Amino acid sequence: MTGLLETTIDALILLVSLDAELWKIVAISFSVSLQAVLYTAPVGFLVGFLLAYTSFHGRKVAISIVNTLWAVPAVVVGLTLYLLLSRAGPMGDWQWLFTQKAMILGQMLLSLPVIIVMAHTAFQAGDRRAWETALTLGATPMRAVFTVMFEVRYGLAAAMIAAFGRVIAEVGCSMMVGGNILHHTRNIPTAIALETSKGAFTQGIALGIVLVLLALTLNFGVEFFRGRGSVQ
């Protein structure tokens, strides 16, 4: 018990001392995950809108597929990408394996179903009259889409926060396609896994504290935007 307390104190000291290696890992995590969510959000919003506001053959099947993809383990996505990006794979010429680009691509695939599902829910909960009114007033379909998006902006913000929370904490995909390379592709979850396997718990606990504080902040953010959206 004393050893755990001492290690936790050392971890806190490591955090507040602004250890360069530790905060480089944190920076890589935030950069990769933020890019993945920002690149994915426009596509996710559009698909969510189409699922909510259009009727087409196979719509229910499409919704079921997206919901299923949300539950796909990160390691499965990582394995699939690894096979595609390896030298023998169809995307091997890109030379993305063990790079941040591969990590961003993997996290985009993980965040996409989260954003689509939550955006679809937000659009369905919104006032459909905003869409009809915009078209009646002569707005183009794309302009009308932006009008509806503004009406449900809090729900869309919650979708992005939830997606960010999922991808920044995943380890399977990042480990497989990123390679856990120091100062390049080592992020918070992969660093925790490595340090724990070596028995060096100080940095692992410090990074774990960052993840816990981040998770708490993100959950507050999701609930805040959901609450704001419910009173529109």
Side-chain angles (χ1 to χ4, degrees):
M1 188 67 179
T2 303
L4 176 60
L5 180 60
E6 291 177 351
T7 304
T8 303
I9 292 174
D10 290 340
L12 291 172
I13 293 173
L14 196 64
L15 280 173
V16 299
S17 65
L18 302 180
D19 179 76
E21 183 174 317
L22 178 80
W23 287 103
K24 176 66 174 179
I25 293 171
V26 175
I28 289 173
S29 278
F30 274 77
S31 175
V32 168
S33 298
L34 187 59
Q35 288 184 73
V37 172
L38 291 178
Y39 295 155
T40 307
V43 177
F45 293 164
L46 180 59
V47 175
F49 174 84
L50 292 175
L51 291 176
Y53 276 73
T54 61
S55 180
F56 56 90
H57 183 67
R59 174 175 169 272
K60 291 185 178 179
V61 175
I63 294 174
S64 297
I65 291 174
V66 173
N67 285 325
T68 302
L69 290 176
W70 189 342
V72 172
V75 68
V76 174
V77 175
L79 175 61
T80 304
L81 265 185
Y82 181 89
L83 295 174
L84 293 173
L85 294 172
S86 64
R87 290 186 177 182
M91 298 160 62
D93 292 339
W94 292 11
Q95 297 183 348
W96 279 16
L97 197 59
F98 305 140
T99 67
Q100 288 188 19
K101 291 180 179 178
M103 294 171 66
I104 292 171
L105 180 59
Q107 293 192 6
M108 286 175 66
L109 295 176
L110 289 170
S111 62
L112 184 59
V114 179
I115 294 178
I116 292 175
V117 170
M118 294 190 65
H120 173 240
T121 302
F123 283 124
Q124 280 195 318
D127 192 345
R128 196 179 185 90
R129 288 174 297 181
W131 166 256
E132 297 169 349
T133 302
L135 293 177
T136 301
L137 293 176
T140 62
M142 186 55 65
R143 181 65 180 273
V145 169
F146 283 119
T147 299
V148 176
M149 287 178 61
F150 181 78
E151 291 295 318
V152 298
R153 60 192 179 279
Y154 296 116
L156 299 182
M160 292 181 66
I161 293 173
F164 183 80
R166 183 193 184 192
V167 298
I168 199 170
E170 68 83 19
V171 61
C173 183
S174 294
M175 184 76 79
M176 296 196 71
V177 301
N180 201 18
I181 303 171
L182 183 63
H183 298 154
H184 186 55
T185 60
R186 183 169 298 171
N187 61 9
I188 295 176
T190 60
I192 291 175
L194 176 66
E195 294 303 314
T196 301
S197 67
K198 294 191 304 183
F201 297 107
T202 301
Q203 189 181 79
I205 291 176
L207 292 170
I209 292 172
V210 173
L211 271 187
V212 170
L213 292 176
L214 177 64
L216 185 63
T217 303
L218 291 175
N219 281 327
F220 276 128
V222 169
E223 292 306 315
F224 170 79
F225 283 114
R226 279 178 173 172
R228 291 292 297 271
S230 65
V231 297
Q232 292 186 77

